[in-house]
Amino acid sequence: MKLPAPHLCLLLLMLLCVDLPASGYQHPSASLAALVDAPLDPLLRLSPDGRTLALLERPPAPPVAELARDVLGLAGLRIDPLRYGPADQRVRSGLRLLDLESGEERQVIGLPPAARFSWFRWAPDGRRAAFALRGDKGWTLWWLDRQSASVRQASPLPLNAVLADPFQWLPDSRTVVALFRLQEEAALPTAPPAPRVLETGEEARPGRTWQNLLQSPADGERFSALSLSRLALLELDSEARWLGLPAAHWLEATPSPDGNRLYLEELLPPWSLELPWYRFAQRLSLYDLRDGASVLLARKPLADAVPIAHGSTTTGPRSVHWRPDQPATLVWTEALDEGDARVEAEMRDRVLAWHAPFTEEPRELYRSPWRVRHMDVAADGRALAWSYWYPTRRERCELLRPEGGVELLFDRDSQDRYTDPGSALTRPSASGHELLLQQDGHFLFRSRGASPEGERPFLSLFDPEDGSSEILFRSRPPWHETVIEVLDADRLLLRRENAQTPRVYGTFSLADSAFVELLRMEDPHPELTAASRRELHYLREDSLALHATLWTPPGWSPEQGPLPTVLWAYPGSYTNRQAAGQVQDSPWRFHRSSPYSARAWLLQGYAVIDDPSMPIVGEDGQKPNDTFVTQLVANARAAIDAAVAEGVCDPQRVAVGGHSYGAFMATNLLAHSDLFRAGIARSGAYNRSLTPFGFQVEDRSFWEAREVYWEMSPFTWADRIDEPLLLIHGAEDSNSGTYPMQSERLFQAIKGLGGQARLCLLPHEGHGYRARESRLQMLYETERWLEEHVKNAPPRAEPETGESTP
C-alpha cells in the first residue's frame, strides 16, 4: 500500500522514536519489565441472584502487531473495519465460576483456544449469561450455562458493535435483542481525494478539539456502511428472529420491564464533518414486540450549538430509560434553560414520565434548579433524584414520593469527601432493571468513608423520613474493607486488603462479624510490597493543609542518606480551601503497582512522592486557573520540603512527572521553578491556544481569558524549560486536546531554543499505552532519563534556593 507523504514521514518518526534504532523496541531492566508481564487480577461479576461470581480473566498486554490492524477514525470513533466494533475494545481471556455458598470454583469449558471475549452479561435470573467472542473477522454471540459451567455459540451471525453494546437481555432470561451486521455486506466505499470544505453559519458554534472526525463525504459513506445494523431476537436453541424494522444506525435497544417493548435510539444522517457521532441527529422511538407498532418519542437535531460552559447540555430528551418499578413507563430529562448554563434560570431541568400505551401526553414528575444526573427508584414507587451544579460544585438529593411531593434530603459541597454519604445501592429486579435496595423502608448507602486518618468505607441505613443514618458496617483498620454487595439482611460480600495483603474476597456476617474467605489474589510484586511508606501531612506557604504518600525502597534506612526522588502527581481544581486539603487515600490499602505507577522506580533506588496534593483553589470571585502557576509551584515546593524534612529526599536530585494533565503540570513546573532536575511528561497538552474553547475545568474561551491561557501554556515558556524533559506520546492519541502534535511542537520549540528534550512517539497507541512493546519502551526511556539526569546528575552550579524563575 502506498502511503501519502505526510503519513510516511510520521511513520518514520515513530519508528525512529527520535533516535532509537528502527530495528525494534528497547527493554528496561528486568525488574521493571516484570511489572509489564505481571498477572492481572480477574474482574468479578456477581449474578443477579447473588449466588455466583463470574471471574473474568484478563490477558497480558497485547503485542503491538495486534494494535497495528487496520483502524478507521470516523465520527470520533476508532473502528475495526474487519470486526465491526471498537478498535480498542477491552477483552477477557478466561472464565471461572465461584459458588458463594459452597466456595467451589469451576473452570468454564467450551471456550476456543486463545479465546478473547467481551460484553459479559448475566441474564436477569442468573442461570445463564451471554458474551461476545472475538474472531479474526468479527464478534459472535455465545451462551454460558451456569449449571454445567459450559459455553456454546448462540449464533454464527456476526454482531455489529460499532455504535453500541451488541446485545441486551429480555426479562424472560432466555432471549436477547441483538445488533447484527448486514448479511449482504459489500466492500467499504472508496473515493479519490477531494478538498475538505467547511463554512461558518450565522450563529456562534464553539466546539472541542475532537479527534477522528469525518474528513469527507466518502468518510461519511464508510461510517454509514460500518454502523448500519439490523435488530433481531435470539432465543436459546433458536435461530435469530428479525424484527420488522429496517436496517438503521442503532444506538440503543433496551427492553421494557414487562418485555413487550423496546426503547430505540438511532443516528440520522446527514453526517457532520465537525462533530463526533454523539452530536449527530437522533430519532428516539418505541417498538412493540407483539405487533410491530412504532411510536415516536422525539427527533433530536444535530447538536452543533451546545455551549462550552460546564453544566451546559443538549436540548430535548436525554438520559431516557425505563422506570424499573412499572411494566412500561419511559422516564427522561429535558433542559428548561435551552441547555445553556450561562443564562439565569430558576429551574434548569425537568423529569418526565410517559406511560404505556403511550397515547396520552407525558407527565412531568419533577423540576430541578440544577442538572439532573440520575434517578434511583424503589419498588414502592419512591425515587431519589440526584442533581448537580458544576459552577458551585454542589450536589442535591431529593425524595420523590409516588403520590406527589418532593423533599430535599441533602444539599452539599460535592468536593467535601468527609461528609459524603455515598451512593444508594441497587439490585436487579426480576426483569433485570435496577431497583433501590431497602430494609424496612430505609435505603442502603455505600460510602468511601474519607476521613483525616484515611478512607474507611462504610455501609449505612438511611431513613428518608427524618434524614438520619445508621452505620451497619465500617472498615476496620488495619484492613481496608469495601462492601461489594448486600447478599441478604445479614451477609455482605466483602473485599478486604491491607498494606501487605492483596485483595481478599469473602462473605461477612453482620450478626457475628465472621468473615469467610472465598477468593485471594496473588501479590504480583513482593519486592515492591516490601517497600516502606509514610503519610506526610504538611502546610503550603499560605497555610493550606496538604498531604502525600512518601515511599522508600525496600531495605533503605536513614543512615544511607537522602535518595534521588520522583514526584508524580495530577492537579485538582477546588472552589474552597477546606475541601482542597482533605485526605484522599488510605494507609490501609494494598497498592498494586503497574508499569505506569511511579512506585516502579522504587526498584531502581528512588524515593517516590506519590500523588501529593496539587490543589488549585479559586476563592473570592477568582477562578482556580487565575493563579494556576503560583499555586502549582507552591504545592510542589511544600511536598519536596516535607520529604526533605523526613531525611528521605535529596533536594538536589528530584524529578517531576505525570500523565495527561499531570504532564501539563510537570512541564509547567519545569518552566516556572528550579525545584527539579528533570521531567517526564506522558501524553500531555502544552499549548492551550490549541484547545481554545476550554480544557479540563476551564470553561472560558481563549478570547475570554487570553492571559490565563497564555500563562498556563508551557509552550509559551519553552525558553525557560532549562531542565531535561522527556516527552512520551501515543501516536494515535484521540483524547480531546492531547493529540500528538502537542508533544511534537513542544519538542521542536525546546530543540530550537537550545534546551534538552527527548521525544518518543509510540506507534498505534492512544492516550494510554496498551501494547507490551510500548510499555517496555516507556519504561526504558524513563529509566535511562532518570539515571542520566537525576540519579547521576552532577551537583548544581548554584545551591538550590527553591525560588521560582521570574
Side-chain angles (χ1 to χ4, degrees):
M1 180 177 66
K2 185 177 180 181
L3 289 173
H7 291 183
L8 183 59
C9 291
L10 178 59
L11 178 60
L12 289 174
L13 179 60
M14 291 188 296
L15 288 173
L16 289 171
C17 203
V18 180
D19 67 347
L20 289 179
S23 58
Y25 291 78
Q26 302 289 345
H27 284 230
S29 298
S31 60
L32 294 171
L35 292 177
V36 175
D37 298 322
L40 302 172
D41 291 347
L43 300 178
L44 276 56
R45 297 290 181 266
L46 181 66
S47 61
D49 59 7
R51 291 177 51 193
T52 309
L53 270 178
L55 312 180
L56 311 182
E57 297 170 5
R58 295 194 285 172
V64 72
E66 185 175 311
L67 275 61
R69 289 172 59 96
D70 287 341
V71 174
L72 292 179
L74 299 171
L77 296 169
R78 283 172 45 82
I79 301 171
D80 183 333
L82 292 180
R83 294 179 175 138
Y84 281 64
D88 306 321
Q89 180 65 27
R90 299 292 181 180
V91 294
R92 315 305 166 206
S93 55
L95 185 55
R96 292 173 285 151
L97 299 180
L98 176 63
D99 185 276
L100 296 190
E101 286 294 331
S102 66
E104 179 189 7
E105 185 178 310
R106 295 179 293 166
Q107 184 71 43
V108 170
I109 59 175
L111 281 172
R116 296 292 185 266
F117 63 91
S118 193
W119 296 291
F120 181 91
R121 302 283 187 274
W122 283 107
D125 66 4
R127 296 171 58 192
R128 57 187 60 87
F131 58 89
L133 187 76
R134 190 183 74 185
D136 288 338
K137 295 186 178 180
W139 298 85
T140 53
L141 189 69
W142 284 58
W143 304 126
L144 162 70
D145 178 71
R146 180 171 68 179
Q147 183 175 2
S148 63
S150 63
V151 300
R152 58 188 173 89
Q153 190 179 67
S155 171
L157 295 174
L159 298 165
N160 190 322
V162 168
L163 292 176
D165 290 357
F167 67 89
Q168 297 285 343
W169 280 101
L170 266 64
D172 67 359
S173 294
R174 293 182 53 85
T175 311
V176 298
V177 56
L179 299 170
F180 288 104
R181 287 156 54 173
L182 302 190
Q183 293 175 297
E184 61 279 3
E185 290 168 6
L188 292 180
T190 59
R196 184 170 188 257
V197 179
L198 305 174
E199 187 173 353
T200 60
E202 295 181 359
E203 298 179 359
R205 284 178 166 78
R208 298 289 186 186
T209 48
W210 295 296
Q211 302 299 295
N212 295 314
L213 300 181
L214 302 175
Q215 299 298 305
S216 66
D219 267 359
E221 293 176 13
R222 283 186 278 271
F223 175 70
S224 288
L226 287 164
S227 61
L228 202 62
S229 61
R230 287 197 64 188
L231 284 166
L233 297 181
L234 190 62
E235 189 176 356
L236 286 169
D237 304 318
S238 300
E239 294 185 354
R241 176 163 60 90
W242 300 103
L243 301 185
L245 291 163
H249 308 281
W250 298 113
L251 287 173
E252 185 174 344
T254 306
S256 58
D258 64 8
N260 292 328
R261 295 174 175 85
L262 296 177
Y263 166 66
L264 301 173
E265 292 183 2
E266 61 179 296
L267 291 183
L268 300 175
W271 314 127
S272 169
L273 303 186
E274 300 179 77
L275 297 170
W277 63 273
Y278 52 85
R279 292 287 189 91
F280 292 170
Q282 298 180 20
R283 182 177 186 268
L284 317 181
S285 64
L286 294 164
Y287 179 80
D288 197 309
L289 292 169
R290 297 164 297 183
D291 59 14
S294 291
V295 179
L296 178 68
L297 168 61
R299 284 179 177 269
K300 297 183 68 173
L302 189 73
D304 61 346
V306 179
I308 290 295
H310 288 297
S312 295
T313 187
T314 58
T315 57
R318 71 177 197 272
S319 303
V320 184
H321 60 279
W322 293 107
R323 181 159 177 151
D325 63 324
Q326 298 179 7
T329 298
L330 271 187
V331 178
W332 67 88
T333 304
E334 291 181 357
L336 293 169
D337 57 1
E338 297 300 318
D340 191 345
R342 301 169 300 180
V343 304
E344 295 292 330
E346 183 178 353
M347 292 289 169
R348 297 282 177 184
D349 276 353
R350 66 173 181 167
V351 177
L352 298 101
W354 200 19
H355 301 277
F358 308 103
T359 54
E360 299 181 359
E361 290 296 311
R363 180 171 64 91
E364 185 175 299
L365 296 179
Y366 162 69
R367 289 191 171 206
S368 171
W370 300 341
R371 289 282 177 248
V372 175
R373 279 186 158 177
H374 67 279
M375 290 179 61
D376 296 318
V377 180
D380 59 14
R382 294 180 299 167
L384 298 179
W386 301 83
S387 59
Y388 178 72
W389 190 236
Y390 184 86
T392 59
R393 312 296 202 275
R394 296 197 68 81
E395 68 173 354
R396 295 162 62 102
C397 180
E398 294 169 280
L399 176 68
L400 278 59
R401 298 188 180 275
E403 67 274 12
V406 178
E407 299 172 23
L408 178 65
L409 298 180
F410 53 79
D411 175 341
R412 58 179 299 275
D413 180 357
S414 66
Q415 296 184 314
D416 184 356
R417 299 176 186 84
Y418 295 171
T419 62
D420 184 5
S423 57
L425 290 179
T426 62
R427 175 175 290 169
S429 66
S431 68
H433 296 76
E434 297 288 327
L435 285 169
L436 278 167
L437 197 54
Q438 300 186 71
Q439 285 186 11
D440 300 324
H442 298 178
F443 300 134
L444 286 158
F445 273 63
R446 178 175 55 200
S447 173
R448 296 174 64 179
S451 74
E453 293 74 36
E455 284 186 2
R456 290 184 61 196
F458 63 82
L459 177 72
S460 64
L461 200 58
F462 177 75
D463 185 351
E465 300 303 323
D466 60 15
S468 63
S469 289
E470 176 190 354
I471 302 295
L472 300 180
F473 173 83
R474 187 190 293 273
S475 178
R476 301 155 301 171
W479 293 96
H480 184 278
E481 299 170 307
T482 303
V483 175
I484 303 300
E485 186 62 72
V486 177
L487 300 175
D488 54 43
D490 176 59
R491 287 192 316 150
L492 309 177
L493 178 61
L494 205 65
R495 182 185 72 216
R496 63 193 318 206
E497 60 193 278
N498 64 33
Q500 302 299 317
T501 307
R503 291 177 173 179
V504 179
Y505 294 85
T507 58
F508 178 85
S509 170
L510 291 172
D512 59 13
S513 299
F515 179 78
V516 179
E517 181 177 323
L518 293 169
L519 182 67
R520 178 178 291 266
M521 301 303 174
E522 296 296 323
D523 187 344
H525 43 60
E527 67 284 1
L528 267 179
T529 304
S532 298
R533 61 176 290 178
R534 61 189 80 181
E535 303 302 319
L536 303 183
H537 299 272
Y538 50 95
L539 297 178
R540 199 167 73 176
E541 58 190 23
D542 60 355
S543 299
L544 178 64
L546 302 177
H547 55 89
T549 301
L550 178 63
W551 294 85
T552 53
W556 178 84
S557 64
E559 292 74 23
Q560 295 172 297
L563 295 167
T565 302
V566 175
L567 183 152
W568 199 271
Y570 193 95
S573 174
Y574 297 87
T575 56
N576 67 78
R577 292 169 58 88
Q578 178 184 1
Q582 291 181 349
V583 175
Q584 301 181 40
D585 201 356
S586 168
W588 307 295
R589 187 191 296 275
F590 179 81
H591 284 266
R592 181 185 176 113
S593 297
S594 73
Y596 303 107
S597 170
R599 292 184 294 278
W601 304 109
L602 295 167
L603 299 173
Q604 302 300 306
Y606 297 87
V608 175
I609 305 173
D610 195 21
D611 197 23
S613 301
M614 287 286 170
I616 310 299
V617 186
E619 290 184 307
D620 301 326
Q622 278 194 322
K623 297 277 190 177
N625 285 343
D626 292 347
T627 54
F628 179 86
V629 169
T630 300
Q631 294 193 61
L632 195 67
V633 173
N635 292 332
R637 180 184 293 113
I640 293 173
D641 288 347
V644 170
E646 293 288 316
V648 171
C649 172
D650 178 355
Q652 296 285 327
R653 296 183 296 164
V654 184
V656 62
H659 182 92
S660 194
Y661 207 56
F664 175 71
M665 169 209 73
T667 48
N668 260 305
L669 285 169
L670 293 187
H672 296 286
S673 78
D674 289 322
L675 296 167
F676 302 97
R677 297 303 297 267
I680 301 105
R682 301 175 187 162
S683 300
Y686 312 108
N687 183 347
R688 285 306 172 188
S689 71
L690 298 178
T691 55
F693 288 104
F695 58 91
Q696 205 75 3
V697 300
E698 182 58 66
D699 57 8
R700 296 169 292 185
S701 76
F702 174 84
W703 297 275
E704 293 172 305
R706 197 186 310 264
E707 292 304 316
V708 171
Y709 276 68
W710 187 261
E711 183 73 20
M712 288 180 68
S713 295
F715 182 85
T716 304
W717 312 102
D719 58 332
R720 297 185 181 178
I721 299 178
D722 51 8
E723 295 87 9
L725 173 62
L726 172 63
L727 295 158
I728 303 175
H729 217 120
E732 303 297 329
D733 191 346
S734 57
N735 186 54
S736 177
T738 60
Y739 31 86
M741 184 176 65
Q742 291 275 7
S743 287
E744 292 172 318
R745 293 295 182 265
L746 181 60
F747 172 78
Q748 291 167 353
I750 295 172
K751 177 184 176 183
L753 291 164
Q756 188 171 5
R758 181 177 173 89
L759 170 64
C760 178
L761 291 173
L762 298 169
H764 312 297
E765 295 290 1
H767 195 55
Y769 318 137
R770 296 175 56 210
R772 180 177 185 272
E773 295 93 332
S774 300
R775 295 176 180 182
L776 291 170
Q777 184 74 44
M778 173 191 72
L779 291 172
Y780 164 82
E781 294 288 344
T782 308
E783 179 182 23
R784 176 180 174 220
W785 204 250
L786 291 174
E787 285 278 342
E788 180 179 355
H789 300 294
V790 181
K791 181 183 285 187
N792 298 317
R796 289 180 182 269
E798 297 179 5
E800 172 64 53
T801 63
E803 295 296 327
S804 300
T805 53

